[in-house]
């Protein structure tokens, strides 16, 4: 079936898949879009990713990978725009995509949209082009509003998500938990939700000699290293991790390394620095700022344990990256944690983010041996099934199923016709 190459329009309007990872609005979703597109491209599928032009002077069309193009289109004002400010300009984006498609005389087989803003435009394009549309929300406004946030998610976001959930053909959720959230908070019909987990780049992330990487990174010998990687936003619960530091009883000195954050000094960063002073842990905590994705592997390998103290995660890619590197993870019960962690062996899911519980979890994996209970290679083995190849296979299955469903319910693109020429509906 996969023999016939598909041409896929991917929408990532609000944030660019090549944006700076670790900054406030750019994280797991960008990694997901990039890695999935790259894998689809190597399999011969053609992927055009549409995103809003944010920095003028750059190229409008970037050949990202084999068969994968990133297409920048104008909508709204120059520079970054909040989701709410961008919303009234989505119709401009829709017209730009259609103009682009018409100028190239491209026929897309299906649309894959990411996040609610792209979902909305995907909905319009689906009606214009009469092709299937698959939505991934990545995060859900109603859920974010149940957690700590400096700002509540807008009513506009929640009503748009509700409308998309009711009217789209297929939703891909990254976890069973997300599926349940879609049902409970948005009244989604279960049969239109497919659960496909996120992936990890197994070529990039793998075990390395812990002592050697520690020397290379300039970390002191004989310290236990606890690592956090992610956007420095309240929902990540970094404050809970800082508080956990005051509860640790370890035989060795400890260092908490925090990676992520914007290039400039943000209020979030300042709040965390103040909290360190207040708790008296400032000498044990180091903020490294954001680190290029490709330079992260030695940090994961240098750590004794990676901690994910989040209030909410759609999946939690950082945990997969740590495990693929052979490092155990202590996490709150968010995203995919219960599915990817083997309790007591590759990590621990603590009952909640209480600092004492996080500290107890950290202690388990920062013993005098300085390593988790399993060797790094065994920890890595536990996540080999999450390679992007497997994710791409599962997503292609969804694409084909959607095309098949589309064909049986009325209209079909060329790919559907070619793929299902053997079907009774051909
Ligand atoms: N990341 C990065 N450099 C940083 C901070 C984060 O490359 O300085 C990457 C990290 O490796 C991961 C992604 O950003 O791939 C964060 O994804 P995750 O799912 O953990 O969190 P999200 O951003 O979706 O909340």
């Amino acid at each position: 079936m996969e023999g016939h190459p598909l041409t896929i329009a991917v929408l990532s309007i609000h944030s660019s898949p090549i944006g700076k990872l670790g900054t406030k609005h750019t994280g797991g979703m960008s990694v997901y879009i990039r890695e999935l597109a790259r894998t689809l491209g190597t399999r011969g599928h053609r992927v055009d990713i549409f995103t809003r032009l944010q920095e003028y002077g750059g190229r409008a069309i970037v050949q990202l990978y084999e068969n994968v193009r990133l297409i920048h289109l104008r909508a709204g004002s120059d520079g970054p725009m909040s989701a709410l400010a961008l919303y009234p300009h989505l119709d401009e984006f829709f017209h730009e995509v259609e103009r682009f498609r018409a100028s190239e005389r491209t026929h897309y087989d299906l649309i894959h949209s990411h996040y609610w803003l792209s979902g909305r435009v995907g909905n319009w394009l689906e009606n214009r082009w009469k092709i299937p549309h698959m939505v991934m929300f990545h995060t859900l406004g109603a859920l974010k509003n149940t957690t700590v946030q400096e700002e509540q998610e807008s009513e506009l976001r929640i009503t748009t998500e509700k409308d998309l959930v009711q009217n789209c053909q297929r939703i891909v959720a990254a976890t069973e938990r997300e599926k349940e959230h879609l049902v409970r908070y948005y009244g989604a019909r279960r049969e239109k939700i497919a659960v496909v987990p996120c992936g990890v780049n197994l070529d990039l992330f793998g075990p390395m000699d812990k002592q050697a990487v520690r020397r290379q990174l300039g970390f002191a010998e004989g310290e236990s290293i606890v690592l956090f990687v992610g956007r420095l936003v309240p929902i990540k619960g970094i404050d809970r991790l800082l508080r956990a530091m005051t509860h640790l009883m370890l035989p060795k000195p400890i260092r908490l390394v925090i990676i992520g954050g914007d290039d400039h000094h943000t209020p979030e960063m300042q709040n965390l620095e103040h909290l360190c002073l207040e708790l008296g842990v400032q000498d044990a905590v180091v903020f490294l700022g954001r680190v290029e994705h490709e330079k992260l592997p030695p940090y994961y390998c240098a750590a004794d344990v990676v901690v994910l103290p989040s209030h909410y995660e759609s999946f939690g890619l950082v945990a997969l990256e740590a495990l693929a590197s052979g490092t155990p993870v202590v996490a709150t019960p968010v995203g995919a944690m219960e599915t990817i962690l083997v309790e007591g062996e590759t990590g621990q899911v603590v009952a909640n983010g209480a600092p004492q519980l996080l500290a107890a979890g950290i202690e388990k994996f920062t013993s005098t041996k300085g390593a988790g209970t399993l060797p790094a290679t065994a920890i890595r083995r536990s996540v080999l099934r999450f390679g992007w190849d497997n994710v791409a296979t599962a997503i292609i299955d969804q694409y084909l199923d959607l095309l098949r469903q589309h064909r049986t319910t009325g209209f079909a693109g060329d790919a559907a016709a070619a793929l299902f020429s053997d079907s009774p509906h051909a």
Side-chain angles (χ1 to χ4, degrees):
M1 272 282 181
E2 210 195 302
H4 188 92
L6 299 170
T7 304
I8 304 145
V10 172
L11 302 178
S12 177
I13 303 173
H14 183 229
S15 77
S16 168
I18 55 168
K20 290 180 175 172
L21 293 174
T23 57
K24 194 169 179 183
H25 299 293
T26 311
M29 186 172 87
S30 298
V31 174
Y32 185 95
I33 295 170
R34 259 158 46 177
E35 293 283 1
L36 177 64
R38 185 175 59 81
T39 316
L40 292 172
T42 57
R43 294 205 191 168
H45 300 291
R46 288 185 48 215
V47 183
D48 281 345
I49 308 172
F50 294 96
T51 194
R52 190 178 74 88
L53 182 67
Q54 296 198 35
E55 283 173 32
Y56 291 99
R59 273 178 303 150
I61 302 180
V62 178
Q63 188 74 42
L64 264 193
Y65 309 108
E66 183 188 359
N67 294 321
V68 180
R69 298 188 299 178
L70 179 63
I71 295 150
H72 295 94
L73 300 175
R74 283 169 192 256
S77 57
D78 292 3
M81 283 178 88
S82 72
L84 281 185
L86 180 56
Y87 190 87
H89 299 281
L90 290 181
D91 59 338
E92 292 165 35
F93 197 88
F94 160 75
H95 288 299
E96 285 293 304
V97 177
E98 170 53 3
R99 225 186 319 265
F100 178 86
R101 188 208 58 77
S103 73
E104 291 220 330
R105 294 170 192 272
T106 303
H107 167 80
Y108 292 105
D109 295 308
L110 48 85
I111 304 157
H112 187 163
S113 65
H114 299 270
Y115 200 59
W116 63 283
L117 295 166
S118 298
R120 168 53 74 229
V121 175
N123 217 201
W124 295 334
L125 288 170
E126 154 193 2
N127 290 329
R128 170 69 67 96
W129 295 343
K130 305 267 183 281
I131 60 171
H133 172 207
M134 191 164 100
V135 185
M136 286 179 75
F137 288 102
H138 294 272
T139 56
L140 295 165
L143 258 297
K144 283 187 116 178
N145 281 349
T146 65
T147 66
V148 284
Q149 284 235 95
E150 70 279 48
E151 291 162 25
Q152 286 282 293
E153 292 301 313
S154 66
E155 212 30 57
L156 175 66
R157 173 174 183 177
I158 292 164
T159 51
T160 307
E161 285 175 339
K162 269 197 184 129
D163 184 58
L164 280 168
V165 163
Q166 299 308 323
N167 295 311
C168 74
Q169 294 152 312
R170 181 79 41 108
I171 302 167
V172 168
T175 60
E176 288 294 336
R177 176 179 266 125
E178 186 185 344
K179 180 172 174 174
E180 287 316 307
H181 287 156
L182 282 161
V183 173
R184 186 164 148 210
Y185 290 88
Y186 291 90
R189 280 192 292 118
R190 284 177 196 280
E191 57 276 18
K192 69 158 79 166
I193 309 170
V195 177
V196 179
C198 298
V200 61
N201 185 334
L202 295 167
D203 296 326
L204 179 61
F205 297 105
M208 300 176 187
D209 183 291
K210 203 175 281 296
Q211 296 313 323
V213 287
R214 282 187 178 190
R215 275 194 300 276
Q216 177 200 324
L217 296 172
F219 291 135
E221 305 239 339
E223 279 183 341
S224 291
I225 296 180
V226 177
L227 176 66
F228 169 89
V229 178
R231 296 174 297 116
L232 298 196
V233 288
I235 212 159
K236 293 284 176 181
I238 305 162
D239 55 326
R240 313 200 277 193
L241 179 53
L242 294 177
R243 289 181 204 284
M245 294 288 287
T246 64
H247 295 276
L248 286 172
M249 314 250 277
L250 290 171
K252 288 201 271 181
I254 187 142
R255 180 154 310 275
L256 169 61
V257 178
I258 297 185
I259 289 180
D262 286 64
D263 293 335
H264 51 281
H265 219 65
T266 55
E268 282 91 359
M269 177 96 83
Q270 277 166 11
N271 289 344
L272 292 172
E273 281 170 350
H274 282 145
L275 184 60
C276 284
L277 288 171
E278 210 178 292
L279 299 169
V281 296
Q282 69 278 11
D283 294 337
V285 181
V286 49
F287 289 92
L288 292 185
R290 60 177 224 97
V291 170
E292 289 296 333
H293 198 60
E294 287 65 29
K295 295 194 173 147
L296 280 177
Y299 290 96
Y300 282 123
C301 295
D304 292 294
V305 61
V306 169
V307 183
L308 201 90
S310 308
H311 295 270
Y312 174 55
E313 287 285 337
S314 58
F315 186 88
L317 285 184
V318 157
L320 266 190
E321 292 163 6
L323 296 170
S325 310
T327 302
V329 174
V330 169
T332 45
V334 291
M337 295 309 117
E338 292 91 339
T339 336
I340 64 174
L341 291 175
V342 184
E343 196 64 28
E345 292 188 12
T346 69
Q348 192 188 350
V349 183
V350 292
N352 59 56
Q356 293 89 332
L357 293 183
L358 287 170
I362 293 169
E363 278 171 9
K364 272 192 203 145
F365 295 96
T366 42
S367 64
T368 40
K369 283 185 246 141
T373 48
L374 281 183
T377 47
I379 294 180
R380 174 181 169 82
R381 218 171 310 131
S382 71
V383 293
L384 290 181
R385 66 188 191 281
F386 292 100
W388 283 107
D389 249 330
N390 286 350
V391 178
T393 300
I395 291 289
I396 291 166
D397 282 350
Q398 291 302 320
Y399 289 161
L400 296 179
D401 193 51
L402 201 46
L403 284 164
R404 194 180 293 118
Q405 182 187 322
H406 218 71
R407 177 153 179 72
T408 55
T409 52
F411 53 88
D414 292 347
L419 283 164
F420 308 119
S421 53
D422 55 347
S423 88
H425 302 280

